């Protein structure tokens, strides 16, 4: 009976470990998603800075560290924004043409059929522009998310264990504090997720120890 009891416990432990590993995988993905969101938020906060001459000349180690990545991203974003604006203009024009295409209602079934055919073609054209807009928007978000993944460890090294915002002496201090606030919010969430991972890893280790003890007891 002891053998069957141990086998049952082992089977349950295997199931528990599989679930815990799946939970850890989900937590890893959640952590990455949080850093991606951080990238979107931080770029949206800082994008206007790239239009200011002072941003290129300011002598601050935090700004200097993120400036190359931010400028590289900004160039790509602005190029895609141009494409997005062009696609939006095409969509608006296509929709306006469809609205004005049939000022007079069809008088018979032939005209109705002809109008339906033309409308279908116009709708298909609009759908093409909507798809293009969706693809561009997705690419824009992906670029910002990638920025978050790249910049998070850089800021982690720069801010380290330093606590509290800077005293405000100039506009740069305000910007750095804004960056710190965004980073710290993300860091707190990442730490929270990581603590959950550690707890689940500890349970997996404990299940392994218990399995080893059962094997020793049955030998």
């Amino acid at each position: 009976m002891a053998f069957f009891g141990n086998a049952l416990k082992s089977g349950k432990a295997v199931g528990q470990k599989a679930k815990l590993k799946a939970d850890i995988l989900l937590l890893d993905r959640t952590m990455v998603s949080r850093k991606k969101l951080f990238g979107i938020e931080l770029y949206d906060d800082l994008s206007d800075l790239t239009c200011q001459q002072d941003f290129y000349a300011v002598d601050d180690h935090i700004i200097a560290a993120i400036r190359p990545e931010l400028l590289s991203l900004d160039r790509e974003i602005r190029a895609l924004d141009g494409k997005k604006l062009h696609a939006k203009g095409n969509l608006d024009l296509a929709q306006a043409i469809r609205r004005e295409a049939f000022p007079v209602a069809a008088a018979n079934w032939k005209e109705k059929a002809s109008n339906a055919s033309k409308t279908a073609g116009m709708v298909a054209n609009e759908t093409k522009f909507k798809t293009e807009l969706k693809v561009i928007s997705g690419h824009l978000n992906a670029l910002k998310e990638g920025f978050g993944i790249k910049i998070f460890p850089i800021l982690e090294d720069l801010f380290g264990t330093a606590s509290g915002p800077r005293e405000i002496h100039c506009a740069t201090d305000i910007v750095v504090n804004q960056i710190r606030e965004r980073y710290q919010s993300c860091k707190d969430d990442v730490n929270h997720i990581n603590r959950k991972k550690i707890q689940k890893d500890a349970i997996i280790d404990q299940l392994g120890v218990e399995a080893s003890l059962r094997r020793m007891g049955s030998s």
Side-chain angles (χ1 to χ4, degrees), residues 18-177:
K19 183 181 182 305
L20 287 164
K21 288 179 180 179
D23 289 344
I24 289 171
L25 182 61
L26 182 60
L27 288 170
D28 282 334
R29 290 174 180 171
T30 302
M31 196 180 299
V32 171
S33 295
R34 182 61 184 91
K35 292 177 182 178
K36 288 180 176 180
L37 176 61
F38 166 65
I40 294 173
E41 294 171 337
L42 188 62
Y43 175 78
D44 289 344
D45 286 344
L46 302 179
S47 59
D48 288 345
L49 289 178
T50 60
C51 300
Q52 299 175 16
Q53 194 60 39
D54 289 348
F55 177 72
Y56 297 86
V58 66
D59 183 21
D60 181 273
H61 72 289
I62 301 293
I63 300 297
I66 70 169
R67 186 161 44 209
E69 292 290 349
L70 181 60
L71 291 177
S72 175
L73 171 63
D74 192 63
R75 283 192 293 270
E76 294 185 79
I77 292 289
R78 293 188 187 281
L80 283 173
D81 277 341
K83 293 180 180 180
K84 185 176 180 179
L85 186 62
H86 181 69
K88 182 65 167 61
N90 287 337
L91 176 59
D92 290 343
L93 178 60
Q95 290 174 331
I97 289 172
R98 181 163 62 90
R99 284 194 300 268
E100 299 172 6
F102 311 108
V104 179
N108 53 57
W109 70 269
K110 287 185 178 180
E111 290 181 358
K112 289 180 180 179
S114 176
N115 288 354
S117 177
K118 291 176 182 177
T119 299
M122 291 176 181
V123 170
N125 196 40
E126 291 171 23
T127 300
K128 179 186 72 173
F129 294 131
K130 288 178 181 178
T131 301
E132 185 179 356
L133 279 170
K134 188 174 181 179
V135 169
I136 292 170
S137 295
H139 195 183
L140 283 167
N141 266 350
L143 287 171
K144 295 177 186 179
E145 289 171 347
F147 174 63
I149 298 297
K150 289 178 182 177
I151 212 70
F152 183 85
I154 294 173
L155 292 177
E156 196 169 27
D157 288 341
L158 288 170
F159 288 133
T161 57
S163 61
R166 286 184 181 181
E167 291 187 14
I168 305 299
H169 299 293
C170 62
T172 299
D173 293 331
I174 296 173
V175 173
V176 170
N177 282 344

